Amino acid sequence: MIQTAQDILDGAKHQTGNKTVAVAMANDASVLQAVVEAEREGLIHAILVGDSAEMREIAGHDGFSLSEMELVDEKDPVKGCALAVDLAVNGKAQFLMKGFVKTAILLKALLSRPELKVRDVMSHVAVLDIPGRERLLFFTDGGMIPKPDTSQKEAICRNMADLVNALGISPF
């Protein structure tokens, strides 16, 4: 049973099949370091969308390699986000990650593709592993829907419950 963030990571390492993430506007040191580490750990394969010269410069400066990753050169954030979303739509990536770009730009690209919409309400879920706590803490929608109505609140909670169930976590 999953009780810690490490349990989630260990489970992801043993998953079979394609685990490709498209990173929208990946030209940021912390984003690149996280993706390089995740790929090194066998969690993902990455396709990096953004200013490829800047990504290579960051990698060289910070002492890591992007040689195992596919780079898609696009300097414009709107076009870069659209390209990253296209990778998900076309099945070349199963996950989408926000890089160094305004959330609104990425969401606009995402919401413009109805084939990715599987629910009426989109929300996010954060999972925290707090030292000293015996289980993970989940919280949802810290601002995507500023003033949700009752049906939106129900959908947001359903999204979180579905994630908890998908991870095989008992809610009690």
Side-chain angles (χ1 to χ4, degrees):
M1 182 163 114
I2 294 175
Q3 293 183 312
T4 66
Q6 189 60 51
D7 293 339
I8 295 172
L9 293 174
D10 291 343
K13 287 178 189 176
H14 296 96
Q15 291 292 318
T16 58
N18 198 339
K19 300 182 286 189
T20 301
V21 60
V23 184
M25 304 314 292
N27 37 298
D28 175 76
S30 60
V31 169
L32 289 172
Q33 287 171 342
V35 171
V36 166
E37 184 177 329
E39 187 154 304
R40 188 179 316 120
E41 292 288 325
L43 294 168
I44 61 159
H45 170 68
I47 302 173
L48 307 174
V49 180
D51 184 333
S52 59
E54 187 176 354
M55 287 187 272
R56 286 188 183 97
E57 182 180 323
I58 292 167
H61 180 266
D62 289 2
F64 54 83
S65 173
L66 304 177
S67 63
E68 299 296 316
M69 298 176 201
E70 180 181 341
L71 275 62
V72 178
D73 188 45
E74 181 53 67
K75 292 170 184 58
D76 179 77
V78 173
K79 292 178 184 174
C81 287
L83 286 170
V85 169
D86 283 345
L87 290 167
V89 168
N90 296 325
K92 294 180 182 172
Q94 290 68 50
F95 304 95
L96 185 61
M97 178 178 166
K98 179 184 176 288
F100 191 65
V101 63
K102 292 181 180 180
T103 302
I105 295 172
L106 181 57
L107 284 176
K108 186 173 182 180
L110 186 65
L111 293 171
S112 73
R113 301 302 298 262
E115 57 270 59
L116 290 178
K117 186 177 180 181
V118 295
R119 306 242 168 135
D120 288 333
V121 174
M122 184 183 347
S123 60
H124 76 280
V125 177
V127 183
L128 303 178
D129 189 357
I130 301 171
R133 204 173 148 88
E134 292 184 19
R135 56 183 3 179
L136 296 169
L137 177 66
F138 291 76
F139 70 90
T140 185
D141 201 62
M144 282 187 70
I145 304 175
K147 295 181 181 180
D149 61 28
T150 302
S151 66
Q152 289 170 318
K153 288 177 185 178
E154 288 174 9
I156 290 166
C157 291
R158 199 173 320 108
N159 289 346
M160 183 174 64
D162 288 349
L163 173 63
V164 170
N165 289 333
L167 292 172
I169 298 173
S170 171
F172 304 105

